[in-house]
Structure formats: C-alpha cells, structure tokens
C-alpha cells in the first residue's frame, strides 16, 4: 500500500515528527494516485526539499524543478538536496521567473499558511504556461469537524480549535467553491477537487500531535511555531534518520487500527486547476 510505504520512509527521515509523517503519508499517497505532473515545474513553498524527494521517488517522476520558499534556512537545505535546478529565497508573491515559464506549479500544504493569498495566486498564474497545471493540497472546511476535540469534557471546544489553528498556523479553510472562485479570478480553471484525510485519519494525527508537537508547543507557552521548536532542539539537522528496522514497526504502530471512515467527512482537499489560454 502506497500510504504505508510512504509512512515508513517519512518515519525514517523525520523520526521526531510522527504526526506530520502520518498526515503527509496520507496526503502524498493521494498525489501519487492522482499522478504527478511532468515537464518543468515550480515547487511553491519547497521547504528543505526532503518531502519533494520522497514524493518524486514514490511517483517515479523526474521533472525539472525550481524551488521557492521565504525561509532562508529551508532554502539553504533545499539547494543542497539535489532536487532542484535552482532555488529562490522569496515570498510566493514575487517569483523571479519569466512569464509562462512552467508546465506546472505544485504546492503541498502551503497555501493555508499565507496571509495575503491573492498576489500568490496571481503570480502562480503568471508563470504558468497556457494549459499548465496548478496542483496543490490544503486543509478544507471539514478539518475542525474531523477533530475529536479536547480530552477533558469540561474544556471549551472552540478554544481548543483556536489553539490548533494557531499551532498549525492555518489561516483559512476554503471550500471547493471558494477555491474555484479565487483561481478563476486569475485565469485558472479548477478541474478537480478531491477530498482526503477522513475523520479517522485526522483523529489519528490529532492523537499523535497531542503528545508530540502539542506538548512542545504548550511547553513553549504557545510563543513558538513547531518548526522554531524543532530548530531550537536541533531536531532538523540533516542526517537524523532512523534505521529501517526501527522505522518499519513504528510506522505500523502509527497506522494500526485506522479503519476507513464512512461518515463522509474529510479534512483536506487535493485541488487541480489549468491555466486558461
């Protein structure tokens, strides 16, 4: 199963992020099943490049990629990853690439973190060739409903959800209709909106994160984002990997007893759009 293979790889390469590894394994499996675009592409919010390497290996893809990210510590590692032909340390609203220069733009769980999104979508449309593909993953309006909520019954659910949003730095949970409207304003026609990460899978992420990122976030008084905490604890250093013999049982334990949820609730969307001629 693609999800399980991805989870083993992610657990091996990100041993201190079990909750994120679980979410990404589900997410990337959906992208692989959909099909990763071919040709020349832009990775919008590339991070350190490790996730893209895992995705390309799983998809058997070898596009010509350019990476962009606003965080210089992430782009430093992305440049060293060997995944990209070039990497830019810039915000998504200021892409230093010519008009119509890419066959596709890909963005994985990035757009929900951006405060001013319209200029980023406008830039994405500008650098896409006519007919080019914009493929991205984002949390959706069902995210909150998929969460179990606070552990103690007298705790306030609204306050709990607000804390999750702060910790995850989620700025929006747009519906299919909202994405269609936004993309359309910039000449991109939405061709697909596929839900993923059902309620059972979301709650497994929630359980894992309570006792990992959630604990660290609370210990930091809610003043630091998870990536800042990881850096402070020197957990993002290259070379921190689990041996395969240990990663495999940890991955199996992470995904154990997560049955398919048939209640129709999903926390995320895979969205595809095409640049109009």
């Amino acid at each position: 199963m693609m999800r399980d293979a991805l989870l083993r790889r992610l657990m091996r390469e990100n041993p201190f992020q079990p909750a994120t590894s679980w979410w990404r394994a589900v997410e990337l499996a959906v992208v692989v099943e959909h099909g990763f675009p071919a040709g020349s592409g832009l990775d919008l919010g590339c991070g350190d490049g490790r996730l893209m390497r895992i995705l390309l290996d799983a998809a058997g893809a070898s596009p010509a990629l350019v990476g962009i990210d606003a965080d210089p510590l992430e782009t430093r590692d992305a440049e060293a990853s060997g995944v990209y032909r070039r990497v830019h340390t810039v915000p998504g609203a200021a892409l230093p690439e010519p008009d119509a220069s890419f066959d596709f733009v890909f963005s994985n769980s990035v757009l929900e973190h951006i405060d001013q999104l319209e200029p980023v979508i406008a830039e994405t449309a500008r650098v896409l060739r006519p007919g080019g593909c914009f493929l991205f993953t984002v949390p959706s309006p069902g995210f909150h409903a998929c969460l179990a909520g606070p552990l103690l019954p007298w705790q306030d659910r609204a306050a709990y959800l607000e804390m999750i949003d702060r910790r995850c730095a989620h700025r929006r949970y747009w519906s299919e209709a909202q994405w269609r409207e936004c993309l359309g304003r910039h000449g991109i026609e939405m061709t697909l909106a596929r839900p993923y990460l059902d309620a059972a899978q979301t709650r497994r992420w929630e359980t894992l994160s309570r006792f990992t990122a959630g604990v660290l976030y609370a210990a930091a008084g809610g003043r630091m984002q998870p990536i800042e905490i990881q850096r402070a604890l020197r957990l993002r250093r290259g070379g921190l990997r689990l041996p395969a013999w240990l990663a495999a049982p940890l991955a199996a334990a992470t995904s154990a007893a997560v049955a398919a949820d048939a209640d129709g609730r999903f926390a995320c969307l895979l969205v595809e759009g095409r640049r109009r001629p």
Side-chain angles (χ1 to χ4, degrees):
M1 185 178 182
M2 178 59 68
R3 185 201 71 189
D4 294 338
L6 283 162
L7 182 58
R8 288 191 294 272
R9 175 84 180 269
L10 286 158
M11 293 288 283
R12 187 177 184 190
E13 299 200 15
N14 302 284
F16 302 105
Q17 301 178 59
T20 300
S21 292
W22 167 251
W23 184 322
R24 296 291 174 259
V26 175
E27 190 164 65
L28 297 188
V30 172
V31 175
V32 171
E33 181 181 341
H34 171 272
F36 195 77
S40 61
L42 178 73
D43 185 2
L44 178 61
C46 65
D48 60 13
R50 284 191 289 178
L51 193 69
M52 179 56 75
R53 169 53 65 201
I54 292 170
L55 174 57
L56 295 180
D57 288 348
S62 54
L65 283 177
V66 173
I68 75 113
D69 201 287
D71 188 330
L73 296 178
E74 295 294 285
T75 54
R76 177 199 63 193
D77 293 338
E79 288 176 343
S81 71
V83 173
Y84 305 101
R85 294 194 172 186
R86 56 188 177 276
V87 178
H88 303 298
T89 306
V90 295
L95 303 177
E97 295 286 338
D99 294 356
S101 53
F102 295 105
D103 297 310
F104 69 91
V105 174
F106 176 73
S107 183
N108 192 81
S109 289
V110 171
L111 302 180
E112 69 271 19
H113 303 302
I114 298 173
D115 288 317
Q116 300 298 321
L117 186 61
E118 293 280 346
V120 176
I121 303 300
E123 275 289 86
T124 297
R126 181 186 67 78
V127 301
L128 271 175
R129 293 176 181 140
C133 173
F134 184 22
L135 185 66
F136 60 91
T137 63
V138 283
S140 68
F143 178 74
H144 283 170
C146 286
L147 295 171
L151 285 175
L152 301 176
W154 58 82
Q155 291 180 308
D156 183 65
R157 181 176 176 87
Y160 172 82
L161 296 176
E162 183 182 357
M163 179 275 296
I164 291 286
D165 289 349
R166 286 198 311 272
R167 196 185 85 208
C168 295
H170 288 170
R171 304 291 189 254
R172 65 187 56 79
Y173 297 104
W174 277 2
S175 67
E176 177 181 342
Q178 287 173 299
W179 282 113
R180 186 184 301 277
E181 181 180 348
C182 176
L183 295 173
R185 285 195 294 271
H186 301 284
I188 299 174
E189 181 179 356
M190 194 172 78
T191 55
L192 172 77
R194 175 181 171 179
Y196 68 93
L197 204 74
D198 66 28
Q201 293 168 336
T202 305
R203 291 182 179 191
R204 179 55 52 91
W205 168 82
E206 182 182 19
T207 297
L208 292 166
S209 68
R210 284 187 201 275
F211 303 107
T212 53
V215 169
L216 294 175
Y217 184 76
R223 294 185 298 273
M224 299 171 69
Q225 291 299 308
I227 191 171
E228 297 171 323
I229 297 170
Q230 293 162 19
R231 285 172 177 163
L233 296 175
R234 298 175 61 81
L235 299 180
R236 293 185 68 84
R237 291 176 295 159
L240 288 175
R241 302 179 72 194
L242 287 178
W245 63 265
L246 182 54
L250 285 175
T254 296
S255 60
V258 181
D261 196 319
D263 71 358
R265 291 179 296 170
F266 292 90
C268 296
L269 283 173
L270 173 70
V271 178
E272 181 188 71
R274 295 279 174 178
R275 183 74 167 92
R276 297 189 187 115

